[in-house]
Amino acid sequence: EVQLVQSGAEVKKPGESLKISCKGSGYSFTSYWIGWVRQMPGKGLEWMGIIYPGDSDTRYSPSFQGQVTISADKSISTAYLQWSSLKASDTAMYYCVRRKAEGVFSGGYYYYMDVWGKGTTVTVSS
Amino acid sequence: DIQMTQSPSSLSASVGDRVTITCRASQSISSYLNWYQQKPGKAPKLLIYAASSLQSGVPSRFSGSGSGTDFTLTISSLQPEDFATYYCQQSYSTPGTFGPGTKVDIK
């Protein structure tokens, strides 16, 4: 079974650092992009960034560039999302996702998030 | 970034109703449009990709259409388990922005 298993809920204080994880199983981890999606309490979905574990190529949304770091360790099929200094506004649910690609006849690929982790709740409060 | 809008933001419907949700992109995205369903306290689930392709395991009452800037998600006969929030997402360019969501609840 293809699945993404995320690390557990975190409660942190402003200014602290944090690294949450997402472990893939049931498929070739290095062959698919892994992304991170934020959902603030009661709000919609926000695309944060993606990483290709095969070569660690990483892309960020401008909204999150410089605010978080996405990384991966392909030897243990795990992707990470980390903060160096948390803010209260980082309080949210964070989902990791597998991004699948399907070829388009005319060239290029359709991308879609076909597998989602259950999410990691991050609470930042003094 | 490409901006995505959805309408309505919420709707009330009855079991058996035909429901249509609209998604609009701020520029042409061809057919690079996905739909997700999210139930309270759960992770989103992929329903439709490439505007009209049904994800494996998703009931055939769900369908998607459109290209360019205007897209629709249709539920042909609403079932009790379909009450949820629905999001569109463009995959034409990075970042793959989502729409704000449409909440479907019970009339």
Side-chain angles (χ1 to χ4, degrees):
Chain A
E1 179 194 5
V2 175
Q3 57 180 348
L4 298 172
V5 178
Q6 297 189 231
S7 50
E10 301 276 0
V11 180
K12 292 287 191 178
K13 291 182 167 39
E16 292 186 331
S17 63
L18 175 64
K19 192 174 190 177
I20 62 174
S21 66
C22 169
K23 183 175 176 62
S25 63
Y27 73 100
S28 174
F29 187 73
T30 54
S31 299
Y32 295 82
W33 292 79
I34 291 286
W36 289 93
V37 175
R38 183 175 80 174
Q39 187 166 39
M40 299 177 77
K43 302 298 185 184
L45 305 171
E46 300 173 90
W47 193 99
M48 300 177 71
I50 51 173
I51 186 166
Y52 190 73
D55 61 7
S56 292
D57 185 8
T58 309
R59 317 280 171 84
Y60 293 93
S61 164
S63 299
F64 292 94
Q65 179 85 49
Q67 308 305 308
V68 297
T69 301
I70 294 171
S71 60
D73 184 342
K74 62 185 179 182
S75 70
I76 55 172
S77 301
T78 301
Y80 302 96
L81 177 65
Q82 70 181 87
W83 296 259
S84 58
S85 181
L86 286 159
K87 311 180 192 65
S89 57
D90 293 317
T91 295
M93 177 72 84
Y94 293 89
Y95 294 103
C96 67
V97 298
R98 187 180 81 163
R99 190 178 83 161
K100 190 169 182 181
E102 188 162 302
V104 180
F105 178 76
S106 56
Y109 294 92
Y110 288 119
Y111 293 110
Y112 48 94
M113 300 173 180
D114 69 330
V115 181
W116 291 66
K118 293 188 187 303
T120 295
T121 301
V122 174
T123 302
V124 184
S125 175
S126 54
Chain B
D1 298 2
I2 296 174
Q3 306 305 313
M4 306 299 293
T5 58
Q6 288 182 234
S7 61
S9 57
S10 65
L11 65 91
S12 296
S14 301
V15 172
D17 283 354
R18 182 181 181 88
V19 169
T20 298
I21 298 168
T22 297
C23 175
R24 176 165 288 173
S26 60
Q27 67 180 73
S28 177
I29 58 170
S30 185
S31 297
Y32 293 86
L33 191 283
N34 308 315
W35 290 97
Y36 302 87
Q37 175 195 64
Q38 186 178 33
K39 297 180 180 178
K42 300 293 188 183
K45 169 189 169 184
L46 176 69
L47 297 177
I48 302 281
Y49 64 94
S52 61
S53 295
L54 194 67
Q55 171 69 348
S56 175
V58 173
S60 59
R61 63 180 179 273
F62 291 93
S63 64
S65 65
S67 68
T69 60
D70 295 316
F71 302 86
T72 58
L73 173 70
T74 299
I75 310 172
S76 60
S77 178
L78 198 66
Q79 298 302 299
E81 60 268 31
D82 300 338
F83 292 96
T85 300
Y86 295 84
Y87 295 93
C88 62
Q89 183 232 353
Q90 64 83 15
S91 59
Y92 181 82
S93 66
T94 298
T97 40
F98 291 89
T102 295
K103 185 177 181 180
V104 177
D105 61 22
I106 302 170
K107 183 184 284 184

PDB file of all heavy atoms in Angstrom, chain A residues 54-72:
ATOM      1  N   GLY A  54      14.982  12.229  -5.555  1.00  0.00           N
ATOM      2  CA  GLY A  54      16.028  11.616  -6.364  1.00  0.00           C
ATOM      3  C   GLY A  54      17.277  12.456  -6.463  1.00  0.00           C
ATOM      4  O   GLY A  54      18.401  11.935  -6.444  1.00  0.00           O
ATOM      5  N   ASP A  55      17.075  13.790  -6.577  1.00  0.00           N
ATOM      6  CA  ASP A  55      18.234  14.666  -6.699  1.00  0.00           C
ATOM      7  C   ASP A  55      18.141  15.897  -5.801  1.00  0.00           C
ATOM      8  O   ASP A  55      18.944  16.821  -5.918  1.00  0.00           O
ATOM      9  CB  ASP A  55      18.435  15.106  -8.152  1.00  0.00           C
ATOM     10  CG  ASP A  55      17.247  15.891  -8.699  1.00  0.00           C
ATOM     11  OD1 ASP A  55      16.321  16.217  -7.925  1.00  0.00           O
ATOM     12  OD2 ASP A  55      17.240  16.196  -9.905  1.00  0.00           O
ATOM     13  N   SER A  56      17.122  15.940  -4.933  1.00  0.00           N
ATOM     14  CA  SER A  56      16.874  17.042  -3.993  1.00  0.00           C
ATOM     15  C   SER A  56      16.560  18.375  -4.675  1.00  0.00           C
ATOM     16  O   SER A  56      16.656  19.430  -4.032  1.00  0.00           O
ATOM     17  CB  SER A  56      18.041  17.223  -3.013  1.00  0.00           C
ATOM     18  OG  SER A  56      18.116  16.111  -2.139  1.00  0.00           O
ATOM     19  N   ASP A  57      16.167  18.353  -5.933  1.00  0.00           N
ATOM     20  CA  ASP A  57      15.670  19.567  -6.589  1.00  0.00           C
ATOM     21  C   ASP A  57      14.456  20.056  -5.804  1.00  0.00           C
ATOM     22  O   ASP A  57      13.543  19.272  -5.526  1.00  0.00           O
ATOM     23  CB  ASP A  57      15.285  19.247  -8.029  1.00  0.00           C
ATOM     24  CG  ASP A  57      14.878  20.480  -8.822  1.00  0.00           C
ATOM     25  OD1 ASP A  57      15.030  21.612  -8.325  1.00  0.00           O
ATOM     26  OD2 ASP A  57      14.398  20.302  -9.968  1.00  0.00           O
ATOM     27  N   THR A  58      14.461  21.324  -5.434  1.00  0.00           N
ATOM     28  CA  THR A  58      13.414  21.868  -4.564  1.00  0.00           C
ATOM     29  C   THR A  58      12.839  23.148  -5.158  1.00  0.00           C
ATOM     30  O   THR A  58      13.583  23.979  -5.682  1.00  0.00           O
ATOM     31  CB  THR A  58      13.975  22.159  -3.164  1.00  0.00           C
ATOM     32  OG1 THR A  58      14.664  21.002  -2.677  1.00  0.00           O
ATOM     33  CG2 THR A  58      12.873  22.514  -2.172  1.00  0.00           C
ATOM     34  N   ARG A  59      11.536  23.298  -5.069  1.00  0.00           N
ATOM     35  CA  ARG A  59      10.848  24.508  -5.533  1.00  0.00           C
ATOM     36  C   ARG A  59       9.973  25.030  -4.393  1.00  0.00           C
ATOM     37  O   ARG A  59       9.337  24.230  -3.713  1.00  0.00           O
ATOM     38  CB  ARG A  59       9.962  24.199  -6.750  1.00  0.00           C
ATOM     39  CG  ARG A  59      10.600  23.289  -7.780  1.00  0.00           C
ATOM     40  CD  ARG A  59      11.556  24.014  -8.694  1.00  0.00           C
ATOM     41  NE  ARG A  59      12.299  23.075  -9.536  1.00  0.00           N
ATOM     42  CZ  ARG A  59      11.859  22.558 -10.674  1.00  0.00           C
ATOM     43  NH1 ARG A  59      10.639  22.901 -11.119  1.00  0.00           N
ATOM     44  NH2 ARG A  59      12.607  21.729 -11.377  1.00  0.00           N
ATOM     45  N   TYR A  60       9.942  26.332  -4.229  1.00  0.00           N
ATOM     46  CA  TYR A  60       9.139  26.934  -3.172  1.00  0.00           C
ATOM     47  C   TYR A  60       8.110  27.891  -3.760  1.00  0.00           C
ATOM     48  O   TYR A  60       8.368  28.564  -4.758  1.00  0.00           O
ATOM     49  CB  TYR A  60      10.014  27.726  -2.196  1.00  0.00           C
ATOM     50  CG  TYR A  60      10.954  26.895  -1.366  1.00  0.00           C
ATOM     51  CD1 TYR A  60      12.263  26.668  -1.783  1.00  0.00           C
ATOM     52  CD2 TYR A  60      10.544  26.346  -0.147  1.00  0.00           C
ATOM     53  CE1 TYR A  60      13.141  25.916  -1.021  1.00  0.00           C
ATOM     54  CE2 TYR A  60      11.420  25.604   0.630  1.00  0.00           C
ATOM     55  CZ  TYR A  60      12.713  25.389   0.186  1.00  0.00           C
ATOM     56  OH  TYR A  60      13.575  24.646   0.960  1.00  0.00           O
ATOM     57  N   SER A  61       6.977  27.993  -3.093  1.00  0.00           N
ATOM     58  CA  SER A  61       6.075  29.087  -3.380  1.00  0.00           C
ATOM     59  C   SER A  61       6.743  30.382  -2.899  1.00  0.00           C
ATOM     60  O   SER A  61       7.375  30.385  -1.825  1.00  0.00           O
ATOM     61  CB  SER A  61       4.761  28.900  -2.623  1.00  0.00           C
ATOM     62  OG  SER A  61       4.023  30.096  -2.594  1.00  0.00           O
ATOM     63  N   PRO A  62       6.606  31.476  -3.640  1.00  0.00           N
ATOM     64  CA  PRO A  62       7.174  32.753  -3.156  1.00  0.00           C
ATOM     65  C   PRO A  62       6.699  33.108  -1.760  1.00  0.00           C
ATOM     66  O   PRO A  62       7.432  33.757  -1.004  1.00  0.00           O
ATOM     67  CB  PRO A  62       6.675  33.764  -4.199  1.00  0.00           C
ATOM     68  CG  PRO A  62       6.488  32.961  -5.433  1.00  0.00           C
ATOM     69  CD  PRO A  62       6.012  31.615  -4.973  1.00  0.00           C
ATOM     70  N   SER A  63       5.499  32.696  -1.406  1.00  0.00           N
ATOM     71  CA  SER A  63       4.946  33.023  -0.084  1.00  0.00           C
ATOM     72  C   SER A  63       5.701  32.338   1.050  1.00  0.00           C
ATOM     73  O   SER A  63       5.642  32.784   2.191  1.00  0.00           O
ATOM     74  CB  SER A  63       3.478  32.620  -0.018  1.00  0.00           C
ATOM     75  OG  SER A  63       2.708  33.312  -0.969  1.00  0.00           O
ATOM     76  N   PHE A  64       6.377  31.232   0.718  1.00  0.00           N
ATOM     77  CA  PHE A  64       7.057  30.449   1.749  1.00  0.00           C
ATOM     78  C   PHE A  64       8.581  30.439   1.586  1.00  0.00           C
ATOM     79  O   PHE A  64       9.288  29.979   2.502  1.00  0.00           O
ATOM     80  CB  PHE A  64       6.522  29.021   1.754  1.00  0.00           C
ATOM     81  CG  PHE A  64       5.093  28.935   2.217  1.00  0.00           C
ATOM     82  CD1 PHE A  64       4.050  28.957   1.302  1.00  0.00           C
ATOM     83  CD2 PHE A  64       4.789  28.842   3.564  1.00  0.00           C
ATOM     84  CE1 PHE A  64       2.727  28.905   1.716  1.00  0.00           C
ATOM     85  CE2 PHE A  64       3.471  28.784   3.994  1.00  0.00           C
ATOM     86  CZ  PHE A  64       2.444  28.817   3.074  1.00  0.00           C
ATOM     87  N   GLN A  65       9.073  30.935   0.469  1.00  0.00           N
ATOM     88  CA  GLN A  65      10.524  31.008   0.240  1.00  0.00           C
ATOM     89  C   GLN A  65      11.178  31.794   1.363  1.00  0.00           C
ATOM     90  O   GLN A  65      10.748  32.898   1.706  1.00  0.00           O
ATOM     91  CB  GLN A  65      10.791  31.697  -1.103  1.00  0.00           C
ATOM     92  CG  GLN A  65      12.253  31.857  -1.455  1.00  0.00           C
ATOM     93  CD  GLN A  65      12.834  30.634  -2.110  1.00  0.00           C
ATOM     94  OE1 GLN A  65      12.256  30.095  -3.052  1.00  0.00           O
ATOM     95  NE2 GLN A  65      13.989  30.188  -1.636  1.00  0.00           N
ATOM     96  N   GLY A  66      12.214  31.202   1.965  1.00  0.00           N
ATOM     97  CA  GLY A  66      12.914  31.879   3.057  1.00  0.00           C
ATOM     98  C   GLY A  66      12.273  31.704   4.418  1.00  0.00           C
ATOM     99  O   GLY A  66      12.869  32.052   5.444  1.00  0.00           O
ATOM    100  N   GLN A  67      11.042  31.187   4.432  1.00  0.00           N
ATOM    101  CA  GLN A  67      10.340  30.988   5.710  1.00  0.00           C
ATOM    102  C   GLN A  67      10.478  29.557   6.215  1.00  0.00           C
ATOM    103  O   GLN A  67      10.436  29.319   7.435  1.00  0.00           O
ATOM    104  CB  GLN A  67       8.849  31.315   5.548  1.00  0.00           C
ATOM    105  CG  GLN A  67       8.557  32.674   4.942  1.00  0.00           C
ATOM    106  CD  GLN A  67       9.215  33.800   5.707  1.00  0.00           C
ATOM    107  OE1 GLN A  67       9.063  33.916   6.924  1.00  0.00           O
ATOM    108  NE2 GLN A  67       9.977  34.635   5.000  1.00  0.00           N
ATOM    109  N   VAL A  68      10.625  28.629   5.323  1.00  0.00           N
ATOM    110  CA  VAL A  68      10.766  27.209   5.653  1.00  0.00           C
ATOM    111  C   VAL A  68      11.837  26.591   4.759  1.00  0.00           C
ATOM    112  O   VAL A  68      12.212  27.184   3.737  1.00  0.00           O
ATOM    113  CB  VAL A  68       9.446  26.438   5.460  1.00  0.00           C
ATOM    114  CG1 VAL A  68       8.367  26.964   6.396  1.00  0.00           C
ATOM    115  CG2 VAL A  68       8.977  26.504   4.010  1.00  0.00           C
ATOM    116  N   THR A  69      12.280  25.398   5.167  1.00  0.00           N
ATOM    117  CA  THR A  69      13.234  24.635   4.357  1.00  0.00           C
ATOM    118  C   THR A  69      12.678  23.237   4.158  1.00  0.00           C
ATOM    119  O   THR A  69      12.256  22.575   5.122  1.00  0.00           O
ATOM    120  CB  THR A  69      14.602  24.553   5.040  1.00  0.00           C
ATOM    121  OG1 THR A  69      15.102  25.870   5.241  1.00  0.00           O
ATOM    122  CG2 THR A  69      15.581  23.761   4.181  1.00  0.00           C
ATOM    123  N   ILE A  70      12.657  22.818   2.905  1.00  0.00           N
ATOM    124  CA  ILE A  70      12.221  21.468   2.553  1.00  0.00           C
ATOM    125  C   ILE A  70      13.449  20.652   2.196  1.00  0.00           C
ATOM    126  O   ILE A  70      14.318  21.128   1.448  1.00  0.00           O
ATOM    127  CB  ILE A  70      11.224  21.515   1.379  1.00  0.00           C
ATOM    128  CG1 ILE A  70       9.928  22.225   1.809  1.00  0.00           C
ATOM    129  CG2 ILE A  70      10.928  20.112   0.868  1.00  0.00           C
ATOM    130  CD1 ILE A  70       8.969  22.511   0.658  1.00  0.00           C
ATOM    131  N   SER A  71      13.521  19.445   2.726  1.00  0.00           N
ATOM    132  CA  SER A  71      14.661  18.574   2.441  1.00  0.00           C
ATOM    133  C   SER A  71      14.189  17.134   2.386  1.00  0.00           C
ATOM    134  O   SER A  71      13.024  16.837   2.683  1.00  0.00           O
ATOM    135  CB  SER A  71      15.746  18.740   3.514  1.00  0.00           C
ATOM    136  OG  SER A  71      15.235  18.406   4.790  1.00  0.00           O
ATOM    137  N   ALA A  72      15.089  16.251   2.013  1.00  0.00           N
ATOM    138  CA  ALA A  72      14.748  14.833   1.945  1.00  0.00           C
ATOM    139  C   ALA A  72      15.989  13.993   2.164  1.00  0.00           C
ATOM    140  O   ALA A  72      17.096  14.406   1.801  1.00  0.00           O
ATOM    141  CB  ALA A  72      14.094  14.496   0.604  1.00  0.00           C
TER     142      ALA A  72
END
